Amino acid sequence: MIALSCAAVDDVTAWCLLAFVVGVAKAQVGQGLFVVAGALVFIALILLVARPALRRVALRWETQKPSVGLMTVVFVALLLSALTAEAIGIHAIFEPFARRGGPA
């Protein structure tokens, strides 16, 4: 799990650096800075807000069966966070690794 988390962080860093370099090459430094800043804010929100909320939901699932409504909310939240990651400029595949955040 540690190796997978390190690889995900490495990949997100590489995507951010690539976006920054492409922005500089196109003389659009602001776009590269937007991707880097957006990625940092996104990861911070996932680790500080989403992860604790999902931990509470997971604890509830251990004692009772999840309702369809709750499953729908979790699924929609996952899709919205992937859409946000795409809008920032980082690929949506890295979002679940950021959400996991390493060992619990």
Side-chain angles (χ1 to χ4, degrees):
M1 186 179 298
I2 292 173
L4 184 61
S5 297
C6 290
V9 168
D10 178 58
D11 288 344
V12 169
T13 304
W15 276 104
C16 290
L17 288 173
L18 179 63
F20 182 73
V21 168
V22 169
V24 170
K26 291 183 176 180
Q28 297 174 348
V29 178
Q31 181 66 25
L33 293 176
F34 170 77
V35 171
V36 172
L40 292 175
V41 168
F42 179 73
I43 290 170
L45 285 174
I46 291 296
L47 291 176
L48 298 175
V49 177
R51 186 173 180 189
L54 286 174
R55 184 170 288 160
R56 281 187 294 244
V57 170
L59 289 174
R60 181 175 295 172
W61 283 353
E62 288 180 359
T63 60
Q64 56 184 298
K65 185 177 179 181
S67 67
V68 174
L70 183 59
M71 292 292 290
T72 303
V73 168
V74 169
F75 184 68
V76 169
L78 179 66
L79 290 175
L80 286 174
S81 62
L83 181 65
T84 303
E86 281 293 322
I88 291 170
I90 55 177
H91 198 276
I93 194 69
F94 299 119
E95 186 271 331
F97 295 114
R99 180 177 303 280
R100 177 68 186 146

